Amino acid sequence: MQTANAALNSHAAPSAALLRGTPLARSAPEASALGSFRRLAKDEEVFVEGDRAAFFYKVQSGAVRTFKLLSDGRRQIDAFHLPGDIFGIEPGEEHRFSAEAVGDATVISYRRSNLNAETKDAGDIPNEMIPAVLLSLVRAQNHMLLLGRKNAVEKIASFLLDLSGRTANTDQIDLPMSRTDIADHLGLTIETVSRSLTQLERQGTIELPAHRRCIVLRNKPALERLDM
């Protein structure tokens, strides 16, 4: 995972802020010159699988999950998108996944047809597109490896390290998502997620304060060994 991310950073240096998961919009007027703001309540849909992909989106605040409902009713969460992340970019005319807000969130929607060389006042968005696509590819590859080759504790370790690298406070993670969300992202049950977190806490690798959405990383090298 570290090698892939290093390669991505070497090709996307002009948009390093995007790769860190930090907001790229410098101001609301610049962001709104080409896109429009949309406030979302918890679990509110951004788009549904099969919708026409006329827009793509950038998270301004909060978090968004993209997911697919399987034929048996199970939900597979593809990714969590944090402030600064661009999502909803599609190669075809329809969205292949659904997207909804994890909690209260704000996104900026951009019309795909406006993104061309002659668009004025586009800001940095056209330059962010290639790094965003590359980043999505790397994360998809890492997620595929995680689902297919890692045990439950290793999956949790990888997930925590990924979130840590995308937030300002790398030693404490305030989870925007529930344990059910985590389970549906990692291909686990909620009971297995809870047991794995408790195991890591007993080993002194993490700390689970009384606030269930907060996780303190006490021993990152131990997590990194599990992530290898």
Side-chain angles (χ1 to χ4, degrees):
M1 181 180 296
Q2 294 175 348
T3 302
N5 287 333
L8 174 60
N9 287 331
S10 68
H11 288 289
S15 297
L18 174 64
L19 302 182
R20 290 195 302 271
T22 54
L24 278 158
R26 295 187 179 89
S27 65
E30 179 181 346
S32 60
L34 188 65
S36 57
F37 286 88
R38 179 179 171 188
R39 299 187 184 278
L40 302 165
K42 183 178 184 295
D43 298 329
E44 184 175 347
E45 294 174 344
V46 183
F47 53 80
V48 177
E49 180 181 357
D51 281 354
R52 182 169 174 265
F55 296 87
F56 66 95
Y57 305 84
K58 181 177 179 179
V59 181
Q60 185 77 0
S61 65
V64 172
R65 57 181 167 245
T66 47
F67 65 95
K68 184 180 287 285
L69 291 177
L70 306 181
S71 58
D72 59 4
R74 290 178 299 164
R75 180 183 66 164
Q76 177 63 58
I77 294 179
D78 165 66
F80 295 104
H81 307 280
L82 305 181
D85 288 347
I86 294 176
F87 68 98
I89 303 171
E90 298 287 357
E93 296 300 318
E94 296 182 351
H95 286 294
R96 296 172 299 141
F97 291 81
S98 298
E100 61 188 18
V102 175
D104 291 342
T106 304
V107 301
I108 310 172
S109 60
Y110 299 94
R111 189 174 293 276
R112 286 176 57 178
S113 60
N114 285 344
L115 282 181
N116 55 63
E118 297 179 356
T119 299
K120 296 181 179 180
D121 300 321
D124 291 333
I125 291 298
N127 294 329
E128 294 171 18
M129 296 302 295
I130 292 178
V133 172
L134 290 174
L135 182 58
S136 296
L137 176 61
V138 169
R139 286 181 178 159
Q141 291 171 336
N142 290 338
H143 191 227
M144 179 178 63
L145 175 63
L146 176 151
L147 290 177
R149 293 296 181 180
K150 295 186 177 183
N151 62 38
V153 174
E154 291 169 344
K155 289 179 179 182
I156 294 294
S158 297
F159 178 73
L160 294 178
L161 287 173
D162 178 64
L163 279 184
S164 172
R166 299 169 65 188
T167 57
N169 187 348
T170 59
D171 293 325
Q172 178 174 309
I173 303 171
D174 294 315
L175 297 174
M177 69 288 293
S178 67
R179 294 192 181 189
T180 300
D181 283 338
I182 296 172
D184 287 349
H185 179 56
L186 301 180
L188 303 172
T189 64
I190 187 172
E191 293 80 11
T192 301
V193 169
S194 296
R195 283 197 302 268
S196 299
L197 288 170
T198 299
Q199 179 178 334
L200 289 172
E201 184 179 38
R202 288 173 178 169
Q203 294 171 349
T205 307
I206 64 172
E207 179 183 344
L208 302 173
H211 179 37
R212 288 173 57 85
R213 291 292 182 92
C214 176
I215 297 179
V216 180
L217 307 187
R218 292 298 186 193
N219 190 343
K220 272 192 173 181
L223 286 175
E224 289 167 352
R225 286 192 292 272
L226 291 169
D227 185 41
M228 295 177 63

